[in-house]
Amino acid sequence: MHLRLSSDDAAFQQRMRTYFTTEFPQDLREKVLAGATVEPEDFRRSQAALDEAGLAVPNWPTQWGGRDWSTLQMHIWNSELQAAGVPPPLPFNTSMVGPVIAAFGSEELKARFLPRTASLDIWWCQGFSEPGAGSDLASLRTTAVRDGDDYVVNGQKTWTTLGQHADWMFALVRTDPDAPKKQVGISFILLDMRSEGVTIRPIRTLDGGVEVNEVFFDDVRVPAEQLVGEENRGWDYAKFLLGNERVGVASTGLIKRWLADLKDHAGQVRCGEGTLVDDPAIGARLAELEAELMAIELTAVRVSGGSTDGRPDPASSILKLCGSELQQDVLELAVDISGPMALAWDGLESVPQWASSSVPTYLNYRKATIYGGSSEVQRGIVAATILGLKG
């Protein structure tokens, strides 16, 4: 099936493409497209530029910088941004905590945090997972006990992505340990990472990098005014947040760019009288991956990027499940195309950077089927909410 954009949407796509490829700071795009390390200050400069152009938080309410676009236009914006190699807006800010504050926060919290969240003047990290409470997030044990005008927080979070750069954390904490169900009694708070009693310890991952961290809380005092919404309703807000996160995880524009790069890379590797791009087995794998990408892209267009009633569209779980697995399949092919060159992990002048980085990137993206809810969790959601199956 072939879908054609309307003339208005085609013009919108061209506007997005023109801005991202000609008006956005080109040195930042060049870093991404070359596979170079994008530093924290690069992300801050990128998002500040997008915010100035009104393109950082189009999914937010218009009062706070949103654009009131259609679902298709949101998809076009995201796809063109990724395809152009623009460092994406920090998801912790734009698709996680920002929409939660906009939907459930007090007017004071909105005015205090949303403008600086959109521009990345505030860098947020996510305090959800804990040892023993990852996919089973409702088992979290970090506590927040009310003491006068503050909550006193004790406990630990883990896998805190980019927590070493964060100014603030949005965290799930247990405020009612005696609640009848473990999903009840959890609250959503905003915590200053510079608070006394916060300790960050890096975790070195399989690809050799330091992207995630453990965070410890020792009698950390958090003003009660930094509670989002109602006390003990944090599980509802977390479901709202995760629904938004899972839509974005599909990353169809990024996968499209990866596949285009793979074809180019395969054309650089000799195979018999030709190159790997002429190999029928490689061609068949590329065709299969492109077909899967088209199916996910059509699904992404159908699924809203948000929720108006705090209940995420369960189809977002299909996007998270299929999109994360497709990312892994594409990166596995990248390693195969690199062949023996992939062994040059630290890089050699005679080995192209795309080949030497293929294994670290592949290993890093093993996380894709775990974060945001593991594939097993997503299959359970699809079975129960879409297929109507009962366990």
Side-chain angles (χ1 to χ4, degrees), residues 225-298:
E225 65 191 23
Q226 290 165 203
L227 172 75
V228 176
E230 300 176 32
E231 189 175 85
N232 300 324
R233 290 283 308 279
W235 189 250
D236 294 332
Y237 311 146
K239 289 190 295 182
F240 172 90
L241 180 153
L242 289 170
N244 290 332
E245 178 187 9
R246 288 165 186 162
V247 172
V249 164
S251 300
T252 56
L254 175 63
I255 298 172
K256 193 176 296 184
R257 175 159 57 82
W258 281 353
L259 285 171
D261 289 343
L262 281 186
K263 292 179 182 178
D264 179 62
H265 299 159
Q268 299 175 35
V269 180
R270 300 299 303 175
C271 179
E273 296 298 319
T275 66
L276 278 181
V277 81
D278 304 312
D279 187 315
I282 295 294
R285 289 176 68 181
L286 284 167
E288 182 179 357
L289 293 172
E290 288 179 332
E292 292 180 17
L293 175 60
M294 288 178 63
I296 293 174
E297 198 164 25
L298 288 171

Side-chain angles (χ1 to χ4, degrees), residues 53-122:
L55 298 175
V57 290
N59 56 314
W60 288 14
T62 54
Q63 178 186 358
W64 300 108
R67 298 301 297 266
D68 197 25
W69 287 340
S70 69
T71 300
L72 178 58
Q73 289 173 324
M74 282 294 305
H75 173 73
I76 291 170
W77 163 81
N78 195 36
S79 295
E80 292 296 327
L81 179 147
Q82 293 175 349
V86 172
L90 193 70
F92 309 111
N93 287 40
T94 59
S95 61
M96 297 185 194
V97 71
V100 170
I101 294 174
F104 306 107
S106 65
E107 292 305 313
E108 290 76 14
L109 286 181
K110 294 176 186 178
R112 179 181 175 187
F113 287 110
L114 288 180
R116 298 180 67 204
T117 295
S119 64
L120 200 51
D121 284 343
I122 294 176

Side-chain angles (χ1 to χ4, degrees), residues 327-355:
Q327 289 174 27
Q328 293 177 346
D329 291 342
V330 171
L331 294 173
E332 182 176 350
L333 178 56
V335 174
D336 291 343
I337 288 175
S338 299
M341 293 187 295
L343 297 175
W345 188 310
D346 293 329
L348 297 172
E349 289 186 6
S350 59
V351 175
Q353 197 277 335
W354 58 262

Side-chain angles (χ1 to χ4, degrees), residues 16-296:
M16 294 297 102
R17 186 170 299 175
T18 298
Y19 172 77
F20 292 135
T21 58
T22 65
E23 300 176 35
F24 180 84
Q26 296 302 293
D27 62 309
L28 295 176
R29 289 184 60 231
E30 290 168 3
K31 264 195 169 185
V32 173
L33 295 174
T37 300
V38 181
E39 303 291 346
E41 285 310 309
D42 295 329
F43 279 110
R44 290 186 187 272
R45 189 158 67 92
S46 172
Q47 189 157 327
L50 291 172
D51 186 49
E52 185 177 353
L55 298 175
V57 290
N59 56 314
W60 288 14
T62 54
Q63 178 186 358
W64 300 108
R67 298 301 297 266
D68 197 25
W69 287 340
S70 69
T71 300
L72 178 58
Q73 289 173 324
M74 282 294 305
H75 173 73
I76 291 170
W77 163 81
N78 195 36
S79 295
E80 292 296 327
L81 179 147
Q82 293 175 349
V86 172
L90 193 70
F92 309 111
N93 287 40
T94 59
S95 61
M96 297 185 194
V97 71
V100 170
I101 294 174
F104 306 107
S106 65
E107 292 305 313
E108 290 76 14
L109 286 181
K110 294 176 186 178
R112 179 181 175 187
F113 287 110
L114 288 180
R116 298 180 67 204
T117 295
S119 64
L120 200 51
D121 284 343
I122 294 176
W123 185 305
W124 291 90
C125 65
Q126 181 179 26
F128 279 21
S129 294
E130 300 182 5
S135 294
D136 184 19
L137 184 57
S139 296
L140 65 89
R141 292 179 293 179
T142 295
T143 60
V145 178
R146 186 68 182 260
D147 180 26
D149 293 332
D150 296 334
Y151 287 101
V152 179
V153 179
N154 284 280
Q156 176 186 356
K157 298 294 179 179
T158 195
W159 311 125
T160 306
T161 303
L162 303 179
Q164 70 270 39
H165 306 307
D167 305 303
W168 284 75
M169 170 187 283
F170 55 95
L172 291 180
V173 293
R174 192 165 296 282
T175 43
D176 183 1
D178 300 318
K181 294 177 61 178
K182 61 183 181 180
Q183 289 87 351
V184 182
I186 293 173
S187 295
F188 193 110
I189 63 169
L190 310 178
L191 185 151
D192 189 335
M193 293 291 281
R194 296 163 296 185
S195 301
E196 184 177 353
V198 175
T199 301
I200 302 173
R201 189 165 68 191
I203 301 172
R204 190 164 296 277
T205 51
L206 191 60
D207 65 344
V210 178
E211 186 179 25
V212 292
N213 304 266
E214 295 177 290
V215 181
F216 301 88
F217 309 105
D218 183 13
D219 289 336
V220 177
R221 301 192 75 88
V222 177
E225 65 191 23
Q226 290 165 203
L227 172 75
V228 176
E230 300 176 32
E231 189 175 85
N232 300 324
R233 290 283 308 279
W235 189 250
D236 294 332
Y237 311 146
K239 289 190 295 182
F240 172 90
L241 180 153
L242 289 170
N244 290 332
E245 178 187 9
R246 288 165 186 162
V247 172
V249 164
S251 300
T252 56
L254 175 63
I255 298 172
K256 193 176 296 184
R257 175 159 57 82
W258 281 353
L259 285 171
D261 289 343
L262 281 186
K263 292 179 182 178
D264 179 62
H265 299 159
Q268 299 175 35
V269 180
R270 300 299 303 175
C271 179
E273 296 298 319
T275 66
L276 278 181
V277 81
D278 304 312
D279 187 315
I282 295 294
R285 289 176 68 181
L286 284 167
E288 182 179 357
L289 293 172
E290 288 179 332
E292 292 180 17
L293 175 60
M294 288 178 63
I296 293 174

